[in-house]
């Protein structure tokens, strides 16, 4: 009766491999994900305009790519709508009724 049952091994001895892996993963997740290729934090971007306490910084690469994609997508939609307007009588009637 002097023996004790050790089912999980928690709190006894050193950490097992699974616990070490969990700790390593939690340390990895704390890394800063939004850094430039040079390793600088994005907060160190060039200040373009400073008025009072407000600063406007140059947008990052991801922001520029996102805005460019939105602008190009909108332009393509306008071109398609123009082509539909001139070549599809049903769409032309829809635009006329929508404008009334």
């Amino acid at each position: 009766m002097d023996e004790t049952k050790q089912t999980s091994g928690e709190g006894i001895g050193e950490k097992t491999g699974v616990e070490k892996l969990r700790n390593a993963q939690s340390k990895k997740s704390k890394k800063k994900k939004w850094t430039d290729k040079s390793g600088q934090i994005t907060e160190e971007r060039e200040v373009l305009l400073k008025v009072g306490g407000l600063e406007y910084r140059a947008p990052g690469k991801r922001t520029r790519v996102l805005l460019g994609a939105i602008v190009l997508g909108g332009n393509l939609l306008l071109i398609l709508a123009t082509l539909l307007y001139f070549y599809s009588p049903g769409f032309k009637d829809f635009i006329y009724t929508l404008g009334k």
Side-chain angles (χ1 to χ4, degrees):
M1 291 233 155
D2 292 332
E3 295 180 25
T4 58
K5 293 184 180 181
Q6 297 177 357
T7 56
S8 65
E10 291 180 10
I12 299 174
E14 292 186 35
K15 294 182 179 181
T16 62
V18 175
E19 291 177 23
K20 287 180 184 178
L21 182 61
R22 285 184 192 155
N23 286 341
Q25 287 176 349
S26 66
K27 288 179 184 177
K28 286 181 183 178
S29 64
K30 292 179 184 178
K31 285 185 177 180
K32 296 179 182 176
K33 295 179 181 178
W34 296 96
T35 58
D36 295 336
K37 288 184 179 180
S38 61
Q40 296 175 350
I41 301 172
T42 56
E43 293 298 321
E44 296 176 4
R45 295 176 303 196
E46 180 183 357
V47 176
L48 296 178
L49 181 67
K50 188 172 183 179
V51 178
L54 299 175
E55 293 180 349
Y56 177 73
R57 297 180 182 273
K61 181 179 179 182
R62 290 188 175 122
T63 306
R64 290 191 312 260
V65 168
L66 179 69
L67 289 175
I70 290 171
V71 168
L72 288 176
N75 286 336
L76 287 175
L77 285 175
L78 286 174
I79 291 170
L80 288 174
T82 304
L83 291 174
L84 277 173
Y85 180 79
F86 286 120
Y87 293 113
S88 175
F91 187 73
K92 194 173 199 175
D93 291 338
F94 172 73
I95 295 298
Y96 279 143
T97 56
L98 187 69
K100 287 185 178 183

